Amino acid sequence: MSKKRQREARNVDVHLVEIYEDLANEDEDVRLNAAQSLVTKLAPGKAPTSEEVEKALNRLIRGLSSGRKAARIGFSIAFTEILSQLLGPSEKGVPSIDISIGRVLDILKSQTHPGGSLSGQEERDHYFGRLFGLEAVIKSLILFNPSVPSEHWEQVLDAIYELANKKSWLREECGWVIYEATQLLASHNCDPSYAQLAIDRLSSNGLAKTPEGISIWLAVQESFPTVKLPKGVWHGDNPLHPKEPRALAKVLKEVPHSKDSENGVETSSQRGMWYANLHFVWDIVLAGFFKSDPPPGMGQPKPSKQLKFVDFWIEVVDDSLFAASSSDERKYWGFLLASKVIREAPKGFLATIFSPNLMRCLINQLCLPERALHRLAQKLLRCFHGRAEAEPGTASIIVLGLMGDNGVTNFDQRTRTKTVEKLMIQSSAIGLMFTVSWFERLIRHPRVDEEKAGESQRQILADQLLTLVRSRHTDDVDLTPEDHEFTWPDMVLYVFSKFGYFIVGDMHEKPNTSPSPPVSEATRSLLRSRLTSCLVHLMSKPQGAIFPYSAVHTIKVFGEDDGDGGTQPLFQADDKVRRKLKHAWKLLDKIHAKVASTKDRKRAYLQAFDVLYSLTILQIYNGDADAVLVLDELKTCYDSLVKHSTDSDEASELLVEVLLSFASKPSALFRKLAEQVFTTFASEINAAGLQAMVKVLEAKENLAGQQEMFDQEEEVASEAEDDETSDAAEISADDAGSQLDDAEASSDGSDGVAPADDEELAIFDSKLAEALSTHRADNDMNGDNDGTSSDEDMDDEQMEALDTHLETIFKERKKIVSKKAEKKDAKETIINFKLRVLDLLQIYVKQQHANPIALDLILPLLLSIRTTTSKPVSEKGCNVIREFARLCKGKAVPVPIDEQAIWSLLGDVHEEAMRQSSNAHANACSQSSLLVVKVLVALNRENLREVVDIYANTRKQQLLDKHCKVQPGLFSDWNNWCISASKQ
């Protein structure tokens, strides 16, 4: 029995083992430290032996074929540095080392040869190891030493090109290695012969017309102009020649088979399988265009042998990758390429990419989330926003591309996104000028033939502009009247005014440019409405008072052209109205000019009249006949309050009447106008002006109240008289609470049927039954049917008479329904008017709470809170009193002249508190009472004695009078105030 041979002990360098282990580490710092340690260990100064060096080279090359962790990266770095150190141009020479470049290449070939029965993955690892090794040899620069024979460089080239042809899935990596080699040669000023060998071998291996071949060709052509390029491959020896777009498209599209014209062999430009990333050749091609091709429209000379970028994009990208017949995989590349251009291209190239096929594909993929490339299309949209955020000036270019000739006007609606809306918000102020100008062009020619389609397209454009005004901050535009220039908001107003108030014809000196299809009256009405909405938003800005003048100034300018500028005004008026308008325009221009040169308080007054005149004139152009009369009233107010600066009570009252007329209109614009002007002139409002506003709060919330408030000449119907009686009963001392509850129940339960409605319905039913000679079904149950129905057929004359009778009956019924609708509208009108007035009163108490006449508002407000049938009116009235009471504290209280009137006011407030009403009314009475108490105490602290007596008397009334409905909150608030007052 033989004994087992014992294994011989070997000396193992543990440190070297650790170095090789660390070279595969996934941490970059660990790999670099390991590579440095190995390079140091084999440095010439350490005098390594040939055996040690060759052993290390074998170990490193084997590591290149390993797929473990980051072995290829770490081992290739160490391999490159050791070759450069020992065999590079700067090596000092180590006599003990007998290793040549040829020997290194032989070791590399033998160690990476996939011999034997290897699995597919192991074979791939060996080929990758060989490529990494060849790349390391190139990067070490040992091949480009003048003393090194060129055969070694040829040997490396042949090995790489052999791999590219043998393994198509490795072709891109092989091409990248050669491309980087040409860049390395150029950066080190190596002899052009090396590049000549690279391009010759490229052609001889049939790889010239592949994506890799194009990248190498362009790199050699740019970096080594003296190199002789192979003939017969590309027109003019240039892949980007104007005659080569089709061939170039096939190559870059990676068509499975193409024939190499020089060698006459079939070669595949495909990479063996589809990759989800773009080939690196696109970076090189695009960089070449961006570097040498001037942006479209720059007017620079263009070399005749260079394909223009716009032609390249259309033929190579749009008609190839985005063609209708292209597969989803190639469209995928197309989207990646478009995203790359959006991110990296100079600003002047962006407009080119919005080509027909790309836009068609983009819109189709965005429409439905289940489509194959939907997420990639969304990624392209994010690229749009990213570029616009980084460079706001590009946003307008992208918007024009999406909505331009190849896009669609309703891009956001079609794609169910807010792309255009967000891009317009991101755009620069200058870019928006171009965008709005483009919108004007689309409104003029919406690219449709039918009128209805034109209306739809124009509405979309108008809505986009309105959304822009509402969403976009105007901080980036000049809003100061001193040097205000034409900005993008002015241009939006200009477009709306031009197409809303004029019949637009041919542009000046440009025949056949009139709107097509013609702008309809419905569209003009829409544009006027959008103009009003824009002004509402713009006027809320700190200096937004300048925009109403901008809008009406456009109307004035076009109106003075008398059709010479291609526009005809829609506004028609008699000579008297035109004269009034002419005088108003003259005064408005004078006021607008004074705003810039006037300071302080008078400037605010001028701005207020600037807005008043502008919007009044706008109302005249909108066809409001009453607005003409307002011009005379404005002239009187202006002369008194600004021109002569006199304290005229008449002018103050007149101004309030004008503002109330604006506030009564169902328009947010005139509500905003009334609030802004009232804020400016709040200090000028006198007691008579406040009384005019109080009169609105006292109006009845029915048809009679509307007719009384707006001076209508129609006679009040009997139904309105009944409402008057009901309203009068509501404010009686005894039944106020129950009447108010009934009114509120009637208001809330609008679907219920009142007794009067039942009576009217019964009358209608009886008339209808009489005409038809029939009866209601429930009459049978009541025994009303006498059985006298006739079954005889009616003749033609009887039928005709019946038709006439029925027509009369239904006309009467229609009048009844119409009257009900009129009552409902009248109530809503009065309630809305009261809400607007309460808004003005809230502004007044905020600014003039210390004014003694503000106390005159307390009792009317309490009465309005109690008697109104509208909850919003009640709530807003309570808010006014709450704000009034909150602001009146310390020394900021009114100082009335007539103290006795204040005592009477306090008594009236307590009388109001004793009435039955809602909790909101009770709280308002309590706050009002304490407010009046503060005023009396501020006059004389001794007044507290009598105030205590008044509260005590109210308590007695609560205990002894069953009709006194005062709520406990009045006394609890009083007790809390007393505690606070006693500490002062």
Side-chain angles (χ1 to χ4, degrees), residues 812-856:
E812 292 179 1
R813 178 61 177 170
K814 187 175 182 181
K815 289 180 181 179
I816 295 173
V817 175
S818 177
K819 196 64 177 179
K820 291 179 183 177
E822 186 178 359
K823 289 180 183 179
K824 182 178 180 182
D825 293 341
K827 182 178 180 179
E828 292 178 355
T829 300
I830 292 296
I831 289 176
N832 288 331
F833 194 11
K834 287 185 177 183
L835 291 173
R836 301 293 81 77
V837 170
L838 287 171
D839 289 335
L840 299 181
L841 290 178
Q842 188 156 18
I843 294 172
Y844 184 81
V845 299
K846 284 182 179 180
Q847 294 193 6
Q848 300 294 315
H849 55 273
N851 194 328
I853 65 173
L855 295 171
D856 296 339

Side-chain angles (χ1 to χ4, degrees), residues 344-552:
E344 302 173 3
K347 180 179 176 181
F349 290 86
L350 296 183
T352 303
I353 74 164
F354 296 96
S355 46
N357 290 328
L358 183 146
M359 290 304 303
R360 172 187 51 77
C361 187
L362 176 63
I363 294 171
N364 289 340
Q365 295 298 327
L366 288 171
C367 285
L368 296 173
E370 59 268 19
R371 290 186 173 166
L373 303 178
H374 178 77
R375 295 179 64 181
L376 200 61
Q378 287 183 319
K379 183 179 179 181
L380 180 57
L381 297 187
R382 291 194 292 270
C383 289
F384 291 157
H385 296 302
R387 181 65 184 269
E389 183 177 358
E391 191 177 354
T394 61
S396 59
I397 299 175
I398 299 174
V399 169
L400 266 60
L402 297 176
M403 302 180 65
D405 295 335
N406 297 326
V408 290
T409 305
N410 57 340
F411 182 86
D412 282 358
Q413 289 78 6
R414 287 277 298 276
T415 60
R416 301 174 186 176
T417 64
K418 293 186 178 180
T419 306
V420 173
E421 178 182 332
K422 292 178 180 178
L423 285 170
M424 292 175 72
I425 297 174
Q426 292 177 302
S427 179
S428 64
I430 296 176
L432 283 177
M433 294 287 286
F434 293 101
T435 302
V436 177
S437 178
W438 173 256
F439 272 52
E440 179 189 4
R441 174 182 167 186
L442 289 178
I443 290 176
R444 183 182 288 270
H445 300 291
R447 298 177 299 194
V448 293
D449 297 328
E450 298 180 359
E451 182 176 336
K452 287 294 183 183
E455 289 181 0
S456 176
Q457 295 294 306
R458 286 167 176 147
Q459 179 177 352
I460 291 170
L461 294 167
D463 290 342
Q464 287 278 13
L465 290 177
L466 176 58
T467 302
L468 168 64
V469 172
R470 286 175 172 172
S471 305
R472 171 75 181 218
H473 296 295
T474 53
D475 301 336
D476 58 346
V477 300
D478 177 28
L479 294 178
T480 57
E482 289 81 357
D483 52 355
H484 177 66
E485 298 179 355
F486 196 68
T487 60
W488 67 263
D490 294 302
M491 195 162 187
V492 173
L493 300 178
Y494 163 85
V495 172
F496 286 150
S497 300
K498 178 179 178 181
F499 289 95
Y501 291 92
F502 296 89
I503 301 174
V504 181
D506 290 339
M507 299 173 64
H508 186 62
E509 297 181 356
K510 292 183 179 180
N512 301 322
T513 56
S514 59
S516 176
V519 180
S520 65
E521 183 54 38
T523 298
R524 292 194 189 96
S525 177
L526 172 76
L527 295 176
R528 291 194 292 268
S529 173
R530 296 299 182 265
L531 172 65
T532 300
S533 300
C534 287
L535 289 175
V536 171
H537 180 80
L538 292 172
M539 284 178 61
S540 64
K541 300 297 180 181
Q543 297 294 335
I546 60 178
F547 290 111
Y549 177 82
S550 176
V552 296

Side-chain angles (χ1 to χ4, degrees), residues 742-972:
D742 293 341
E744 289 176 350
S746 175
S747 175
D748 296 336
S750 58
D751 295 335
V753 181
D757 295 340
D758 291 338
E759 184 179 352
E760 292 170 356
L761 185 59
I763 294 172
F764 173 75
D765 287 341
S766 63
K767 289 183 179 181
L768 186 61
E770 181 182 354
L772 297 174
S773 298
T774 184
H775 59 274
R776 286 173 45 164
D778 55 356
N779 287 341
D780 292 334
M781 299 176 62
N782 297 330
D784 294 334
N785 185 8
D786 56 3
T788 58
S789 59
S790 175
D791 296 327
E792 296 179 0
D793 295 334
M794 291 185 290
D795 56 21
D796 292 343
E797 293 181 359
Q798 290 175 323
M799 289 292 292
E800 185 175 352
L802 178 61
D803 290 342
T804 304
H805 195 186
L806 289 175
E807 183 178 355
T808 303
I809 293 174
F810 281 106
K811 281 183 178 179
E812 292 179 1
R813 178 61 177 170
K814 187 175 182 181
K815 289 180 181 179
I816 295 173
V817 175
S818 177
K819 196 64 177 179
K820 291 179 183 177
E822 186 178 359
K823 289 180 183 179
K824 182 178 180 182
D825 293 341
K827 182 178 180 179
E828 292 178 355
T829 300
I830 292 296
I831 289 176
N832 288 331
F833 194 11
K834 287 185 177 183
L835 291 173
R836 301 293 81 77
V837 170
L838 287 171
D839 289 335
L840 299 181
L841 290 178
Q842 188 156 18
I843 294 172
Y844 184 81
V845 299
K846 284 182 179 180
Q847 294 193 6
Q848 300 294 315
H849 55 273
N851 194 328
I853 65 173
L855 295 171
D856 296 339
L857 297 173
I858 292 177
L859 204 57
L861 285 170
L862 293 176
L863 184 63
S864 175
I865 294 170
R866 181 170 58 84
T867 59
T868 183
T869 61
S870 169
K871 187 175 180 181
V873 171
S874 176
E875 290 177 347
K876 191 156 288 188
C878 292
N879 291 338
V880 175
I881 289 181
R882 188 183 303 111
E883 187 72 10
F884 195 1
R886 183 185 67 83
L887 294 172
C888 290
K889 56 185 177 182
K891 296 182 179 180
V893 294
V895 183
I897 298 176
D898 187 359
E899 182 177 343
Q900 189 58 40
I902 306 304
W903 286 111
S904 299
L905 175 61
L906 181 59
D908 292 338
V909 170
H910 278 247
E911 286 290 333
E912 189 68 24
M914 294 178 191
R915 299 179 184 275
Q916 182 175 351
S917 62
S918 62
N919 291 333
H921 176 263
N923 292 333
C925 289
S926 178
Q927 292 170 349
S928 300
S929 177
L930 293 177
L931 171 59
V932 177
V933 170
K934 291 178 186 177
V935 174
L936 291 170
V937 173
L939 290 174
N940 187 350
R941 190 169 179 81
E942 290 298 320
N943 287 334
L944 273 174
R945 300 180 183 277
E946 191 171 347
V947 170
V948 172
D949 293 339
I950 292 176
Y951 270 91
N953 184 62
T954 304
R955 174 67 82 176
K956 291 178 183 179
Q957 289 290 107
Q958 182 189 31
L959 295 173
L960 301 176
D961 188 353
K962 64 178 182 179
H963 295 295
C964 179
K965 303 297 182 181
V966 64
Q967 295 193 14
L970 179 74
F971 303 105
S972 61

Side-chain angles (χ1 to χ4, degrees), residues 101 105 137-138 140-145 148-149 152-153 156 194:
I101 296 176
L105 294 177
V137 171
I138 294 173
S140 67
L141 297 177
I142 61 176
L143 299 174
F144 310 121
N145 192 333
V148 176
H152 296 312
W153 171 235
V156 169
Y194 296 106

